[in-house]
Amino acid sequence: MRHVYWIGGGSGAGKSTIARRLADRQGWRLYSTDDVMGDHARRTTPDEAPLLHEFMAMDMDERWVDRSPQTMLSTFHWFRGEGFGLIVEDLLRMPRETCVVVEGFRLLPHLVQPLLTEPGHAVWLLPTPRFRQAAFTGRATRGAGFTERTSDPERANRNIAARDHLFTERLREETARLQLPAITVDLPMSEDELAERVGAIFRL
């Protein structure tokens, strides 16, 4: 998969923005793992992805309000790598003449590493809590978030923020252990600066 570049990381780190910029600038194909989650869920069975199907059977409070952030982290299907093989299947179906930049939090370092046949083809963006908060505040439209469909949106949002922080720290430990490139994304880092740092890792 020499034509594939990977941008993983925590939520709110700028993965989609940077991947889109690179795809536009380099003439690459863009593959967002968020965009195919629904398709991938339909392509799995409960035996293949038990955590995913347990999650699908939960109501909104069971998903986001009633459980601790630690439990949410340990049982969240995409954080456990369920469905990652479907990402690989999709990529293998694409023409190899054009490079592909793949982005999303589903790109777990230990799953991507065996696919890296070239140096400098993967990076993980690790947002600080204040950067993530600023990013989501900038995107928010009051009343439009999915947590508004829970009985306690504020608690749901706190749980998700805590879970995502734990996930980012897990990525930080894993990238360090596997000696994979990672960038801590913090204020006041600009989009241009982040794009430049990712481009340097990709040797563009």
Side-chain angles (χ1 to χ4, degrees):
M1 304 185 82
R2 293 181 175 87
H3 64 301
V4 179
Y5 291 78
W6 311 81
I7 302 178
S11 297
K15 300 180 299 299
S16 299
T17 300
I18 299 304
R20 193 179 307 112
R21 282 183 58 151
L22 284 176
D24 290 344
R25 189 178 75 191
Q26 302 292 132
W28 292 351
R29 184 189 299 269
L30 174 64
Y31 180 96
S32 170
T33 61
D34 283 8
D35 291 348
V36 294
M37 288 192 294
D39 173 60
H40 287 180
R42 289 186 291 272
R43 287 161 60 186
T44 65
T45 67
D47 287 339
E48 294 167 334
L51 293 174
L52 167 59
H53 285 266
E54 288 175 13
F55 182 83
M56 291 166 62
M58 295 178 187
D59 63 33
M60 292 297 285
D61 277 9
E62 289 173 326
R63 292 177 182 180
W64 310 115
V65 176
D66 298 337
R67 301 182 301 156
S68 70
Q70 291 79 9
T71 299
M72 291 166 64
L73 174 73
S74 65
T75 61
F76 191 54
H77 41 283
W78 305 133
F79 290 173
R80 296 288 296 274
E82 291 187 350
F84 183 80
L86 297 175
I87 295 174
V88 177
E89 284 183 19
D90 291 348
L91 293 172
L92 290 175
R93 292 193 189 102
M94 294 180 181
R96 301 188 184 187
E97 293 78 16
T98 302
C99 289
V100 183
V101 57
V102 185
E103 65 86 11
F105 64 82
R106 296 172 60 188
L107 307 181
L108 305 181
H110 71 277
L111 297 178
V112 172
Q113 187 189 43
L115 304 175
L116 297 175
T117 57
E118 297 287 334
H121 274 230
V123 65
W124 280 262
L125 309 184
L126 309 177
T128 63
R130 65 177 183 173
F131 187 91
R132 181 187 182 279
Q133 179 61 41
F136 279 92
T137 299
R139 298 179 196 174
T141 301
R142 184 170 178 77
F146 65 88
T147 55
E148 294 294 328
R149 292 185 280 126
T150 69
S151 65
D152 191 342
E154 289 188 7
R155 181 175 179 181
N157 287 329
R158 287 196 304 271
N159 284 343
I160 292 168
R163 180 206 66 170
D164 287 352
H165 175 67
L166 292 171
F167 177 62
T168 297
E169 292 309 301
R170 176 185 290 178
L171 292 177
R172 189 182 307 281
E173 182 279 328
E174 192 169 309
T175 52
R177 176 168 49 82
L178 297 175
Q179 298 184 317
L180 294 169
I183 299 171
T184 296
V185 186
D186 197 2
L187 299 173
M189 183 181 290
S190 68
E191 182 181 311
D192 287 344
E193 181 182 352
L194 182 56
E196 183 177 341
R197 293 186 62 180
V198 171
I201 289 170
F202 286 170
R203 303 180 181 181
L204 301 176

